[in-house]
Amino acid sequence: MLLGDLGADVVKVEQIGKGDDTRSWNPPSAPLLPDATEGRPESAYFLAVNRNKRSITVNFKSPEGIAILHKLVAQSDVLVENFISGKLAEMGLGWEDCHKINPKLIYASITGYGQTGPYRKAAGYDVIIEGEAGLMHITGEPDRPPAKVGVAATDIATGLYTHGAIMAALFSRQQTGKGVWIDCNLFESQIAGLANIASNYLIAGQEASRHGTAHPSIVPYQVFSCKDGFIMIGAGNDRQFASFCTKILNLPDLSTDPRFSSNINRVQNREELVKIITDVLMTKNRDEWLEMFKELGNVPNGPINNIKETFEHPQALARKVTVEVDHPRAGKIKLVAPPVSYNGQKMPVRMPPPCLSQHTNEILTELGYTKEQIDELRVQGAI
């Protein structure tokens, strides 16, 4: 999808009749137009991650279907696949097969655990990898069971790593004229995403634990309850903490109290300080505190917004974070817009998420098939 945002012609190859599994991950789904009588509604999940793509359905078990895919490979710059390691090679679509057809092809494999090692044949699922690669161990409240992140963070991170790798491979090809096999996987992407937590263990042998929204090394740096909601406060240094105590809490002596006068002391006396802060914040509504923080200006803070509040945020409105597109079966739908601007301009959403097999005839025609040949392929069950 990110390559499509940048202008690439992205062809999504799907299973005949069923398509991408996420098409049926509903509710919720987009309501169908009155004249859209065939097929199921498109799930909101599918619509979220498939803008700027075309859809073709091909039978991978049919020789004629494989021939179609070989023609696509011959004309493509990049192939992205997420089959279990070795599966496409069994069908004649592995790296070696495709490299022979198109030596300049960038072949990006996304798996659960990579192309080598004892887990190479295991399927990869975001929530499983979150647990297996450490993320779930550090997510959640300290006195509660491990929790998953609210979105598929490992999937998203792996996609971003793959996107960067593809862009680098395209630059490499400009210099060498040769294609590249990219091996990206959820497991290693998630381990890389452990960042400073991983470094704490590797450098100091320090095992991590769960802290909820709090920071293990900075206090106060967490979500606090207010009278009618929640607010995130991050006083990251002594100066910010002094301003917070004096101008917000109206407790000027708190920052000079020996228990809290330095961050090291605040970490050691975390529970006591958090209770003092919470008791004060519970006396006013969230927005009252936010207004006071705005006037102060030098202590990081922010509301805990629900999704409605997020999309109604003044900055979200100013930056046009949503875009409306015309979907052939659902009519006008809203999507999250691409988040990057170039020279002040948002990347356009050129095409809505495709209906299943919407572009099969169009793509086959571009590959050189005649109408009669396309009709025959459909009779054969190849498309």
Side-chain angles (χ1 to χ4, degrees):
M1 184 175 75
L2 299 180
L3 297 172
D5 289 345
L6 292 170
D9 177 15
V10 178
V11 175
K12 184 180 182 72
V13 182
E14 301 188 71
Q15 182 180 346
I16 296 174
K18 184 174 180 288
D20 185 333
D21 284 346
T22 65
R23 287 184 180 274
S24 59
W25 285 8
N26 50 18
S29 57
L32 293 177
L33 292 170
D35 58 350
T37 55
E38 294 184 7
R40 55 180 180 264
E42 300 287 16
S43 74
Y45 196 110
F46 176 84
L47 295 172
V49 292
N50 283 285
R51 63 178 181 256
N52 290 333
K53 298 179 186 179
R54 297 193 290 169
S55 170
I56 180 174
T57 51
V58 178
N59 184 352
F60 280 62
K61 297 178 180 179
S62 157
E64 294 81 9
I66 296 298
I68 292 169
L69 296 175
H70 282 172
K71 285 195 173 188
L72 265 176
V73 166
Q75 296 189 17
S76 296
D77 292 297
V78 180
L79 183 152
V80 180
E81 60 93 4
N82 67 337
F83 285 77
I84 290 173
S85 177
K87 188 65 177 176
L88 279 185
E90 295 173 6
M91 305 177 192
L93 289 166
W95 156 248
E96 297 290 347
D97 306 296
C98 293
H99 184 64
K100 289 176 184 175
I101 296 169
N102 181 355
K104 293 186 176 183
L105 182 72
I106 309 301
Y107 189 105
S109 296
I110 304 175
T111 58
Y113 299 88
Q115 298 296 319
T116 59
Y119 280 63
R120 67 188 181 279
K121 295 290 186 182
Y125 298 93
D126 174 277
V127 71
I128 305 301
I129 303 294
E130 279 192 39
E132 201 163 8
L135 180 60
M136 208 176 284
H137 173 70
I138 60 173
T139 305
E141 297 296 328
D143 58 346
R144 301 285 295 168
K148 75 178 185 67
V149 179
V151 297
T154 304
D155 280 349
I156 293 169
T158 306
L160 291 170
Y161 273 116
T162 306
H163 171 251
I166 289 170
M167 300 302 287
L170 288 169
F171 277 113
S172 172
R173 189 181 69 180
Q174 281 187 326
Q175 297 174 338
T176 66
K178 297 178 181 179
V180 177
W181 186 12
I182 295 168
D183 176 5
C184 276
N185 63 85
L186 302 179
F187 188 66
E188 289 178 83
S189 295
Q190 181 49 65
I191 291 174
L194 292 176
N196 61 295
I197 300 297
S199 188
N200 290 347
Y201 175 77
L202 295 173
I203 301 301
Q206 180 180 317
E207 181 56 81
S209 56
R210 290 185 291 285
H211 294 271
T213 61
H215 195 290
S217 305
I218 307 172
V219 178
Y221 205 97
Q222 66 181 77
V223 170
F224 288 93
S225 297
C226 305
K227 201 171 183 180
D228 67 340
F230 302 92
I231 186 169
M232 178 71 200
I233 298 170
N237 57 50
D238 292 341
R239 181 181 56 82
Q240 290 176 341
F241 180 64
S243 291
F244 175 54
C245 294
T246 303
K247 301 294 180 63
I248 302 296
L249 300 180
N250 197 26
L251 297 173
D253 295 338
L254 196 62
S255 63
T256 58
D257 186 314
R259 296 170 298 170
F260 313 126
S261 58
S262 70
N263 184 65
I264 291 175
N265 292 341
R266 292 194 291 274
V267 171
Q268 291 173 345
N269 297 285
R270 179 191 300 267
E271 290 186 14
E272 191 172 357
L273 179 57
V274 167
K275 184 181 185 308
I276 292 170
I277 295 171
T278 301
D279 287 346
V280 176
L281 293 179
M282 286 296 291
T283 64
K284 292 182 179 172
N285 291 335
R286 184 192 75 171
D287 290 350
E288 294 179 80
W289 290 118
L290 290 173
E291 192 59 36
M292 292 174 65
F293 274 111
K294 184 187 287 187
E295 293 174 6
L296 179 59
N298 70 337
V299 177
N301 70 95
I304 305 303
N305 287 332
N306 61 27
I307 306 306
K308 181 175 184 292
E309 290 168 327
T310 297
F311 282 107
E312 292 176 351
H313 194 291
Q315 187 68 7
L317 297 174
R319 295 289 295 181
K320 296 182 172 61
V321 302
T322 64
V323 61
E324 191 172 73
V325 298
D326 281 311
H327 189 274
R329 299 180 68 239
K332 290 189 181 299
I333 59 172
K334 281 187 177 182
L335 303 174
V336 175
V340 179
S341 297
Y342 291 87
N343 294 328
Q345 298 295 316
K346 285 271 191 182
M347 293 183 289
V349 176
R350 297 171 289 106
M351 293 184 293
C355 300
L356 181 61
S357 196
Q358 180 180 345
H359 305 96
T360 296
N361 286 13
E362 176 180 299
I363 294 165
L364 290 176
T365 300
E366 293 170 5
L367 291 175
Y369 288 91
T370 66
K371 180 181 182 304
E372 291 72 24
Q373 288 172 322
I374 294 171
D375 290 342
E376 180 61 24
L377 287 169
R378 191 164 274 112
V379 170
Q380 293 170 343
I383 58 173

